[in-house]
Amino acid sequence: MIYLVYRMRLSERARRNMKEFWAWLEDRERWFYRDLPMVNEVRWYYSVVGDVYTLENWAAFDDEAAWGAYRKALSGLKADDAWESERVSQEEWWDFLDTRIMTDPPVATGFSRR
């Protein structure tokens, strides 16, 4: 599994309007990923101690080919002016800090009790 990880700091607007921000995030996630079927799973993590008001978004892909298909599809979507206008509205809610690619280790480690 490959994970594309974005880390963002919430904007002043988001920090002043947390209820509105969380509602926006739920709507945005549905909108953003609806035409990106190569994304298997999306997880969000919110820092509450230390680097507060920071979100991480982890998008999971089967392999590098699926991640490549995501990049290609995203490039096509960005060419649509209405879609791109909606995408960049995220700048009202957060500032991107960094991006990285992670992968599962090559051994059977980790567990879940769910």
Side-chain angles (χ1 to χ4, degrees), residues 4-10 22 25 29 33 42-47 51 53-59 94 96-98 100 102:
L4 175 59
V5 182
Y6 292 106
R7 200 166 59 102
M8 296 84 68
R9 179 171 318 282
L10 298 187
W22 293 120
L25 182 61
E29 181 182 71
Y33 290 104
V42 174
R43 300 286 314 256
W44 293 88
Y45 299 96
Y46 181 56
S47 180
D51 200 6
Y53 297 115
T54 301
L55 278 177
E56 286 193 9
N57 168 271
W58 288 60
W94 57 45
F96 281 96
L97 298 174
D98 53 47
R100 65 190 188 273
M102 303 290 288

Side-chain angles (χ1 to χ4, degrees), residues 9-19 21 46 52-54 92-93 95:
R9 179 171 318 282
L10 298 187
S11 70
E12 184 179 334
R13 176 184 178 189
R15 293 190 310 266
R16 281 182 292 154
N17 303 288
M18 293 302 291
K19 186 175 180 178
F21 169 74
Y46 181 56
V52 295
Y53 297 115
T54 301
E92 298 173 25
W93 296 103
D95 296 308

Side-chain angles (χ1 to χ4, degrees), residues 40-112:
N40 291 333
E41 178 182 25
V42 174
R43 300 286 314 256
W44 293 88
Y45 299 96
Y46 181 56
S47 180
V48 294
V49 174
D51 200 6
V52 295
Y53 297 115
T54 301
L55 278 177
E56 286 193 9
N57 168 271
W58 288 60
F61 303 89
D62 285 334
D63 51 30
E64 290 177 26
W67 179 63
Y70 166 83
R71 300 290 301 159
K72 184 176 181 178
L74 204 54
S75 177
L77 290 167
K78 286 180 178 183
D80 178 295
D81 290 339
W83 191 92
E84 182 64 0
S85 177
E86 180 68 24
R87 184 190 73 80
V88 298
S89 71
Q90 68 193 359
E91 295 169 3
E92 298 173 25
W93 296 103
W94 57 45
D95 296 308
F96 281 96
L97 298 174
D98 53 47
T99 305
R100 65 190 188 273
I101 297 287
M102 303 290 288
T103 189
D104 291 323
V107 295
T109 58
F111 67 90
S112 174

